[in-house]
Amino acid sequence: MTGRRIYALIIRLHPLQFRQRFGEELLATFDDAVEDRGWLPLFVDALVSLLRQWLLRSKLRTDTERAYRRVQYLNFLWFTVCFLIWATVLPSRPSERFFDSFILFVLMSGLLNYWTGSPISLLSRIYLSPIRLSRLFKRSDSSGNTTRNPSEKKRDQLRSFNPSFGVILMLFRLSRPQPWTQFLISLVLFTAASSLGLFVRRANRELADRIAGEVPTE
Amino acid sequence: MFHTETPLTPSVGFRYNGFRMKSENIHQYLPLAPASLHILLSLTGEHLHGYGIMRKVTQQSEGRLKLGPGTLYDNLQRLLSQGLIMDAGRRREDDSRRRYYRLTSLGKRVLAAEIERLEDMFATAKSRLGGAKPVTA
């Protein structure tokens, strides 16, 4: 049973499209073959396959998957900008600044991960990752029946992603009395973050519509 | 009789069937990798699922080639994208996770061309080595 779990974990590390298309079958074939061959050769084979998929098979990935990666990078960029803005308006004491930054980093990355399923932030994956992309793309249960429409759920989550979150937090911080120069700098950064946030939001929506257009009919 | 000046309307007489148009140049797929050759060969007689293909490959290579699931599905992914095999769906009486695969007509032609290429190579090798005698001490 442990061997099966490890094998399932290796399958989960494969690229999305491959995992989505062949994941169940791989596991079924593993169940059939493990008695004949033993688990060690199958694990080695799966690890070789993992490397081959990531290094050699990028041409076989779909446009949607590439688009999803692009949007993930955009989300990460937006998050980084918001984080930098936050760092500029932090209190002057270095010890507080570090602590606040760390807490906010974990909090924001966790919420971003929750909304977008973005696997970019390792911290958020460890502490706060109740929803994962792979689960959203799961097509059917073990009996082969489609239990939910993953694309619709993914679409709804992408739509609900609200990039103004960091800006609201920033306003909260700005409600404290600040020197005028710092306020002006923050205002400029606020405008930049809002513009980038809107852009990211639009990219997310476009991707959501694209995924919705590829809803499996079976 | 034939109005060649009139452009054809692409919307008439064509129906999108979900498959990409494949080039008819069979030689672009050659030579086949040994695993791909054995997979295509195993699918000539019947529709098989993943584990079935693995067993058939082992059987037809007399145990010399044992495909693992990762290698198998990596090859299946490539053969599917090339249009040499196609998904034949699931079967009610079988495990619902299993999907069956079958050879397409393009796959059959590519396999035939590969066999022909191997036969030519074999004949050439045989003719060149035919005169040679084994070295004896």
Side-chain angles (χ1 to χ4, degrees):
Chain A
M1 199 63 193
T2 311
R4 192 177 191 275
R5 282 186 183 169
I6 295 171
Y7 197 81
L9 181 71
I10 299 173
I11 293 174
R12 282 176 72 89
L13 295 175
H14 279 72
L16 175 68
Q17 192 200 358
F18 184 82
R19 196 172 65 221
Q20 187 182 341
R21 174 66 181 79
F22 298 109
E24 273 191 345
E25 285 180 76
L26 266 168
L27 207 53
T29 310
F30 172 82
D31 291 340
D32 291 332
V34 72
E35 289 187 9
D36 296 346
R37 306 248 177 119
W39 55 269
L40 188 61
L42 299 183
F43 283 173
V44 172
D45 174 70
L47 289 171
V48 172
S49 160
L50 179 68
L51 284 176
R52 201 165 34 213
Q53 280 293 323
W54 280 112
L55 298 177
L56 302 176
R57 301 283 182 255
S58 58
K59 285 180 182 174
L60 296 177
R61 287 176 205 154
T62 60
D63 291 341
T64 305
E65 194 176 9
R66 287 198 199 96
Y68 182 77
R69 297 281 169 224
R70 279 199 293 274
V71 172
Q72 277 184 331
Y73 293 139
L74 271 177
N75 287 332
F76 181 65
L77 180 67
W78 172 81
F79 162 70
T80 309
V81 170
C82 284
F83 178 67
L84 290 175
I85 292 168
W86 181 263
T88 54
V89 294
L90 282 173
S92 55
R93 284 173 60 188
S95 57
E96 285 182 20
R97 186 179 304 170
F98 177 78
F99 184 71
D100 276 12
S101 303
F102 181 73
I103 294 296
L104 189 76
F105 180 78
V106 173
L107 184 68
M108 281 187 65
S109 57
L111 282 168
L112 262 180
N113 190 45
Y114 183 83
W115 275 325
T116 64
S118 164
I120 288 168
S121 165
L122 284 177
L123 271 175
S124 69
R125 289 194 79 172
I126 294 168
Y127 294 113
L128 302 160
S129 56
I131 292 180
R132 300 278 288 279
L133 177 68
S134 53
R135 290 184 198 164
L136 296 173
F137 276 90
K138 194 179 283 181
R139 279 189 173 184
S140 56
D141 60 13
S142 57
S143 62
N145 301 317
T146 303
T147 51
R148 57 182 172 157
N149 191 330
S151 299
E152 278 183 5
K153 188 162 185 179
K154 179 67 192 163
R155 182 191 61 199
D156 292 342
Q157 286 198 339
L158 285 169
R159 281 190 190 288
S160 69
F161 168 58
N162 185 3
S164 61
F165 172 74
V167 176
I168 293 166
L169 276 177
M170 227 182 71
L171 285 173
F172 175 72
R173 296 290 300 188
L174 283 171
S175 63
R176 292 181 184 181
Q178 298 281 341
W180 275 106
T181 47
Q182 198 171 3
F183 178 74
L184 283 174
I185 291 169
S186 304
L187 196 66
V188 171
L189 291 172
F190 170 83
T191 312
S194 303
S195 310
L196 184 61
L198 286 174
F199 180 67
V200 172
R201 187 179 174 81
R202 197 178 66 180
N204 275 290
R205 279 173 175 255
E206 281 176 5
L207 177 63
D209 292 339
R210 186 173 191 156
I211 289 173
E214 295 183 2
V215 174
T217 53
E218 63 179 358
Chain B
M1 187 174 178
F2 295 102
H3 301 283
T4 50
E5 298 85 12
T6 312
L8 289 169
T9 310
S11 61
V12 176
F14 288 91
R15 190 174 64 179
Y16 179 65
N17 60 6
F19 295 101
R20 285 185 213 160
M21 291 292 287
K22 302 295 174 190
S23 169
E24 285 301 308
N25 182 16
I26 287 171
H27 294 283
Q28 66 177 322
Y29 302 106
L30 305 182
L32 290 173
S36 301
L37 174 64
H38 276 282
I39 290 170
L40 292 182
L41 209 55
S42 70
L43 292 171
T44 46
E46 53 190 329
H47 302 182
L48 290 172
H49 55 71
Y51 186 56
I53 295 173
M54 279 170 61
R55 290 179 64 179
K56 191 76 184 261
V57 167
T58 309
Q59 187 189 342
Q60 72 195 8
S61 67
E62 294 174 347
R64 281 192 290 269
L65 181 62
K66 287 185 177 177
L67 293 178
T71 310
L72 171 72
Y73 284 101
D74 178 68
N75 277 281
L76 287 182
Q77 183 193 31
R78 200 154 39 82
L79 294 172
L80 279 166
S81 72
Q82 289 174 334
L84 303 187
I85 61 171
M86 66 185 291
D87 189 346
R90 296 187 167 104
R91 288 186 183 171
R92 282 184 187 175
E93 69 274 9
D94 206 346
D95 184 347
S96 61
R97 295 177 300 172
R98 286 175 172 171
R99 281 178 176 274
Y100 283 73
Y101 297 93
R102 72 178 179 86
L103 213 55
T104 61
S105 59
L106 177 64
K108 283 177 191 166
R109 289 202 298 277
V110 169
L111 183 60
E114 176 69 358
I115 301 292
E116 194 178 337
R117 189 187 71 82
L118 289 173
E119 278 175 354
D120 288 348
M121 197 174 72
F122 178 71
T124 308
K126 203 173 177 183
S127 68
R128 285 188 188 174
L129 295 172
K133 290 178 181 174
V135 180
T136 52

